[in-house]
Amino acid sequence: MMKKILILIFTFLCLLLTGCTNQVEQKIESIVVDEKEITLYIGESATIEYQILPSGFEEKIILEIANSSIATLTENVVTALSHGKTYVTLTSSSNEKISKIIYITVAKRTYDITYELDGGSFTENVTYVFEENTGLSTLPTPTKEGFNFIGWYEGDKQVNAISADINKDVTLTAKWEEIYVPKTFNITYELDGGSFEGSVKTSFTENIGLESLPTPTKEGFNFIGWYEGDKQV
């Protein structure tokens, strides 16, 4: 009886020691991250999500950011400060060889440009977007048959560029000025049997007229002048 009891006690102690040994020898195997790359805009934040393997194993993970001028790291929350790239390193506190890197990109927002051409068109490639805090130094010039392009307007304000402090979508309206084309008018000469020697002008331009009129000839007659109705001209 005593022998059986001793055997049971010995077996229990072996099992207990084996379990303790396994627990002591258990180590972290790897760090698994949900995202390897994170893109943010200035002012935005993201939480670094990760898991430790084996599952359920408790281990302190050290998080460090490479460039704190681009983004800050508070515990496991990264916040974008300025445009650029950096990365966060996750390292096991018990084994520095076990680590992961998450790449952080702080991107520039882009905004759309809408051109209201009022019948005009572009003859070259144009830019329809611009980046935040960048703007556009020059704007495209459209064309419209029979019109001169006056400029771009945003509401009642004429604009020649999109300044760097404009961070929103922009709608630009083209304004035009019709090209003045003087009218031409025909002249009909009723010669009453007379004729011209050589060529004569048979038309005149609006607001210009003719400085002189041709003199016809008729055999046996003197030319008195030109009349429009009862009025000599």
Side-chain angles (χ1 to χ4, degrees):
M1 183 67 179
M2 181 61 69
K3 186 176 180 180
K4 290 182 178 180
I5 294 174
L6 290 174
I7 291 172
L8 289 173
I9 294 173
F10 177 77
T11 303
F12 175 76
L13 290 174
C14 287
L15 291 173
L16 182 62
L17 290 172
T18 302
C20 292
T21 301
N22 290 338
Q23 185 174 0
V24 171
E25 291 179 350
Q26 189 178 31
K27 295 181 180 179
I28 183 172
E29 295 176 2
S30 64
I31 302 170
V32 179
V33 297
D34 290 355
E35 295 179 279
K36 294 182 179 180
E37 297 182 5
I38 297 175
T39 299
L40 299 171
Y41 297 113
I42 292 177
E44 289 186 339
S45 298
T47 300
I48 305 294
E49 302 285 355
Y50 63 90
Q51 294 178 335
I52 300 172
L53 295 180
S55 180
F57 183 77
E58 293 185 2
E59 169 80 1
K60 181 180 180 182
I61 302 300
I62 301 170
L63 282 72
E64 295 178 303
I65 194 160
N67 190 337
S68 58
S69 66
I70 293 176
T72 60
L73 181 64
T74 304
E75 295 182 353
N76 63 332
V77 177
V78 60
T79 302
L81 294 181
S82 62
H83 301 128
K85 295 179 180 292
T86 185
Y87 58 89
V88 174
T89 304
L90 295 80
T91 308
S92 166
S93 58
S94 63
N95 187 352
E96 63 181 16
K97 292 183 179 180
I98 297 177
S99 64
K100 284 289 183 183
I101 292 178
I102 299 177
Y103 295 94
I104 309 295
T105 299
V106 181
K108 289 187 176 182
R109 287 183 173 90
T110 58
Y111 300 98
D112 295 327
I113 307 171
T114 301
Y115 300 101
E116 295 185 345
L117 293 168
D118 187 25
S121 62
F122 293 117
T123 58
E124 57 186 12
N125 293 330
V126 300
T127 300
Y128 290 90
V129 296
F130 64 96
E131 294 181 335
E132 66 175 328
N133 301 325
T134 302
L136 283 179
S137 59
T138 58
L139 296 174
T141 300
T143 60
K144 182 178 180 180
E145 187 175 356
F147 291 82
N148 287 321
F149 176 64
I150 297 175
W152 292 109
Y153 282 76
E154 190 174 15
D156 295 330
K157 180 183 177 183
Q158 186 172 9
V159 293
N160 299 314
I162 299 176
S163 62
D165 59 351
I166 295 179
N167 293 317
K168 63 176 183 177
D169 293 337
V170 173
T171 298
L172 300 176
T173 302
K175 286 202 174 183
W176 306 93
E177 181 181 56
E178 188 172 5
I179 298 173
Y180 170 70
V181 179
K183 295 179 181 178
T184 58
F185 301 95
N186 295 323
I187 305 172
T188 300
Y189 299 102
E190 295 182 349
L191 294 169
D192 189 24
S195 62
F196 292 119
E197 295 179 1
S199 61
V200 296
K201 292 183 177 181
T202 58
S203 65
F204 65 95
T205 302
E206 178 183 19
N207 297 326
I208 295 177
L210 287 178
E211 293 182 355
S212 61
L213 295 172
T215 300
T217 60
K218 182 179 180 181
E219 188 175 354
F221 289 83
N222 288 321
F223 177 66
I224 297 174
W226 291 108
Y227 282 77
E228 188 176 18
D230 295 331
K231 182 182 177 182
Q232 187 173 11
V233 293

